[in-house]
Amino acid sequence: MDEVLKIINDLKAGTIKPIYFLMGEEPYYIDKLTEYIENNILSEDEKGFNQTVIYGRDATIEDIVSNAKRYPMMAERQVVVVREAQELSRTIDKLESYAENPQPTTVLVVAYKYKTLDKRKKLVKLIAKNGVLFESKKLYENQVGTWIQRLLQGRGYSIEPKANAMLVEFLGNDLSRISNELDKLQIILPKGHTITPKDIEYNIGFSKDFNVFELQNAIGSKDQLKAYKIAQYFADNPKDNPLVVTVSLVFGFFVKLLKYHGLKDKDPRAAAPVLGVNPFFMKDYEVAIKNYPMKKVSSIVASLREIDVKSKGVGANSLSNHDLLKEMLVKIFN
């Protein structure tokens, strides 16, 4: 995110490079940088003659170079944007000669999503020398919560830890999807608002009472009635609560609990980063570690491996989601 802000600040300051090669597994920042350049380098009057969008599946490197070498019309520069450039991965090295001597009055933006160039290649070195080479890496899920906080802070909002964790849990590390959902909330909620689990439930559709965090809490505190109620809800709503995901998350909870048992320093503030847990949820682990001795946790982890295999359809063709969820809880609580 800091690198993205630096590129945008440089553009605002008038430090404009002739090539922006945007590559990587995370499309969110590639899209944002591409949109920013499209919207801000040229005036509306200049765009008609001087802004060209090319799609990788419909063009060749020769087409791109030909467009990039044109001179702008009645403007200081032109912008050439290549979307879906990964479609040209087999011939992308042909861009070498242009990257070695790019047209100074052209801003060439290459959106190379889901892939990266081999950094040992001459093309990479030429782009880095004469332009901007940006790699957009996927965030790990334990980094997404901080990303959400920073994004909302920049937009004038804040978010409660549980609401933040709900977004990460249900949307994973798909930054574009998370951003789209936050856009919807911004339309409804006033600036300065702190987003709550209720806001998430009412406006995005995730239940604040029947979700994996509440299931985790019920299991950790040995609240069997609550756990079975949530399991029933999951069984009745399998599309919103896939069994494979539920089992995986419960398995992850107990693996972290096993790791927690093995820590010498069990202070929640010290343990949270080691376990990769939002500090807000450490209270659940503090309760669970008292309810589940290490030997029991090891046994549960082994049982959950079996349930995980069954949840993927191996050796459990006749068992329903409800039966497997019930089996999972029986093995945990007994």
Side-chain angles (χ1 to χ4, degrees):
M1 196 169 188
D2 292 335
E3 191 178 351
V4 174
L5 290 174
K6 183 184 183 306
I7 293 171
I8 290 175
N9 287 334
D10 284 346
L11 289 166
K12 285 180 179 177
T15 305
I16 302 172
K17 300 290 185 177
I19 303 177
Y20 290 84
F21 198 100
L22 316 174
M23 64 181 187
E25 292 295 323
E26 177 49 67
Y28 177 79
Y29 287 120
I30 295 174
D31 287 338
K32 288 298 177 185
L33 285 170
T34 302
E35 287 169 15
Y36 185 86
I37 293 172
E38 281 185 315
N39 294 334
N40 293 279
I41 298 299
L42 302 178
S43 68
E44 289 303 318
D45 291 337
E46 292 172 333
K47 287 178 186 177
F49 290 108
N50 297 291
Q51 188 149 294
T52 306
V53 177
I54 300 170
Y55 287 85
R57 64 179 178 273
D58 301 323
T60 64
I61 297 297
E62 289 76 14
D63 294 331
I64 294 165
V65 171
S66 176
N67 276 277
K69 284 186 174 180
R70 285 190 302 122
Y71 287 98
M73 291 182 64
M74 296 175 289
E76 185 181 348
R77 57 175 57 89
Q78 68 157 339
V79 174
V80 177
V81 176
V82 186
R83 292 188 175 275
E84 309 299 338
Q86 68 275 7
E87 298 288 340
L88 294 163
S89 60
R90 291 182 180 180
T91 57
I92 197 69
D93 287 343
K94 291 183 179 181
L95 198 57
E96 261 183 34
S97 59
Y98 181 80
E100 193 163 15
N101 187 29
Q103 184 77 5
T105 54
T106 293
V107 179
L108 175 62
V109 182
V110 183
Y112 197 81
K113 294 182 183 178
Y114 314 113
K115 293 183 178 183
T116 57
L117 296 178
D118 184 338
K119 291 177 183 175
R120 296 168 296 180
K121 288 190 173 185
K122 183 180 178 182
L123 175 61
V124 170
K125 293 171 184 175
L126 289 171
I127 293 170
K129 177 185 175 184
N130 296 322
V132 171
L133 181 71
F134 170 73
E135 183 176 353
S136 186
K137 296 179 180 179
K138 276 279 186 189
L139 294 185
Y140 294 111
E141 285 203 7
N142 62 2
Q143 298 174 310
V144 177
T146 303
W147 179 85
I148 290 172
Q149 283 181 314
R150 290 181 66 183
L151 184 69
L152 286 170
Q153 188 176 11
R155 297 179 179 185
Y157 292 82
S158 57
I159 187 168
E160 290 185 5
K162 185 175 179 181
N164 190 329
M166 284 172 71
L167 284 173
V168 177
E169 199 60 61
F170 292 114
L171 300 176
N173 61 350
D174 187 336
L175 302 190
S176 296
R177 191 176 170 201
I178 294 171
S179 180
N180 288 339
E181 296 296 347
L182 293 177
D183 288 343
K184 294 176 190 175
L185 289 176
Q186 281 182 244
I187 295 170
I188 300 162
L189 303 172
K191 213 164 195 179
H193 182 82
T194 298
I195 297 168
T196 67
K198 280 189 178 180
D199 294 325
I200 301 294
E201 180 178 28
Y202 293 153
N203 299 300
I204 298 180
F206 308 138
S207 172
K208 68 179 178 60
D209 297 317
F210 295 94
N211 59 65
V212 72
F213 301 111
E214 294 303 320
L215 178 62
Q216 185 174 292
N217 174 273
I219 289 172
S221 60
K222 286 201 166 180
D223 187 339
Q224 295 192 35
L225 178 60
K226 181 180 176 182
Y228 279 104
K229 278 184 178 179
I230 295 172
Q232 183 64 57
Y233 178 86
F234 283 7
D236 293 339
N237 298 274
K239 287 185 179 179
D240 296 327
N241 306 278
L243 178 62
V244 173
V245 175
T246 300
V247 174
S248 173
L249 292 170
V250 173
F251 176 81
F253 173 70
F254 277 100
V255 167
K256 287 172 185 173
L257 198 60
L258 192 63
K259 189 183 289 187
Y260 195 14
H261 268 295
L263 293 180
K264 290 182 179 179
D265 185 356
K266 290 185 172 57
D267 183 285
R269 290 169 295 183
V274 177
L275 301 180
V277 173
N278 186 315
F280 178 81
F281 292 104
M282 278 306 298
K283 61 182 185 294
D284 293 343
Y285 287 83
E286 287 183 276
V287 171
I289 203 171
K290 294 172 184 174
N291 285 328
Y292 297 93
M294 183 179 268
K295 188 175 180 181
K296 175 63 176 173
V297 174
S298 298
S299 172
I300 290 171
V301 167
S303 297
L304 287 172
R305 288 186 192 278
E306 295 174 12
I307 300 290
D308 179 56
V309 171
K310 290 180 182 179
S311 74
K312 293 169 181 170
V314 180
N317 295 332
S318 61
L319 293 179
S320 66
N321 281 10
H322 180 265
D323 289 336
L324 284 171
L325 285 167
K326 185 177 178 182
E327 182 181 342
M328 178 183 78
L329 293 178
V330 166
K331 293 198 173 187
I332 289 172
F333 289 131
N334 288 351

